[in-house]
Each structure stands twice: as structure tokens, then as C-alpha cells.
Amino acid sequence: MKNKYLIFLLLISLVFAISGCSSSSSSTTSSYNTITGNEAKTMMDESSDVIILDVRTEEEFATGHIKGAIVIPDIEITEKAEGILTDKTATILIYCHSGRRAALASADLAELGYTNIYDFGGILDWNYEVVTD
């Protein structure tokens, strides 16, 4: 009788453990892709539909940025993204100065429901043209 009781408790524990795992894994997990600057450049060259997002400050942006980029400082992403980046399925290529802010902004966009995010680090590692217009 004691063995049956232990088996019963084990089975119930197992059911709770499995159901707990499945409910947490079915929740929405926000994520983004990390790519190299070279991969980002290829994506830019192959599609005119990508959005290039610079998450540095306006002042940093003015000193040099990737042609066609728009600027939304990382500290303003959660407040301004949905008003500027209206298509949450658009391909968004994100960079900053060294990569730290791009990663933070990418995570913020993913939390807001954007689904096609590519963090390619910082402009420090960008081997291509930079403009100041």
C-alpha cells in the first residue's frame, strides 16, 4: 500500500512538473538575430525594404552614419518605436557605436512584438561607407 501511495505521489509530481514546463515554454519568447556587419551589408544590398536603425544619440548620428539609416536613440526605443516603425514584421537592421546599445534596443523591440530584428553591432566594426548628410 505504501509503494502504491509513493508511485501515486511521483506520478502527480511528474504531471505538475511537465505541465509547468509546457506552460512556460508556450509563452511568448522575444528574441532577435545577431549578425555581422558583412551580413547586414549583404541584406542592405539585396533588398531596399530593410530598415537601417541607428540607436545612438542624434549628435553621434550627425558625426557619421550608414546611408539610409534612421535614428531612434536606444533610450527612446520603447516610447517612439511603434510610432515610427509601424510594421512589426519589417526587417530591421540595428546598430550603435560599439554594439551594447544595439543589443539592448533589439531586445526592447522584440519585447514590443517586432519579429524580424537583426543586431549587427557597432559602427566601429562597419567596413563600408559612412555619410554625414
Side-chain angles (χ1 to χ4, degrees):
M1 181 72 168
K2 190 175 184 180
N3 285 342
K4 286 182 183 180
Y5 181 70
L6 286 174
I7 291 172
F8 178 73
L9 286 177
L10 273 171
L11 287 174
I12 291 196
S13 298
L14 183 62
V15 168
F16 281 118
I18 290 171
S19 65
C21 290
S22 66
S23 66
S24 65
S25 65
S26 65
S27 64
T28 303
T29 303
S30 59
S31 65
Y32 59 92
N33 304 290
T34 302
I35 60 173
T36 66
N38 292 337
E39 290 170 313
K41 177 70 167 123
T42 299
M43 292 174 75
M44 291 173 202
D45 291 344
E46 291 177 353
S47 176
S48 60
D49 291 337
V50 298
I51 297 169
I52 307 165
L53 178 60
D54 187 323
V55 295
R56 298 176 297 160
T57 64
E58 295 276 352
E59 294 79 17
E60 290 173 297
F61 184 81
T63 65
H65 56 273
I66 297 170
K67 186 175 183 175
I70 61 171
V71 62
I72 305 174
D74 67 307
I75 60 172
E76 298 175 4
I77 285 289
T78 56
E79 295 85 30
K80 293 186 175 180
E82 292 178 315
I84 298 170
L85 306 170
T86 56
D87 181 0
K88 290 191 175 187
T89 63
T91 299
I92 304 172
L93 306 175
I94 302 176
Y95 73 96
C96 63
H97 181 72
S98 65
R100 185 185 63 78
R101 290 178 284 176
L104 294 172
S106 294
D108 286 342
L109 287 177
E111 285 294 320
L112 290 171
Y114 291 85
T115 58
N116 211 3
I117 306 162
Y118 295 85
D119 166 10
F120 67 99
I123 201 163
L124 285 177
D125 298 321
W126 183 249
N127 297 318
Y128 305 97
E129 179 184 17
V130 173
V131 297
T132 57
D133 59 354

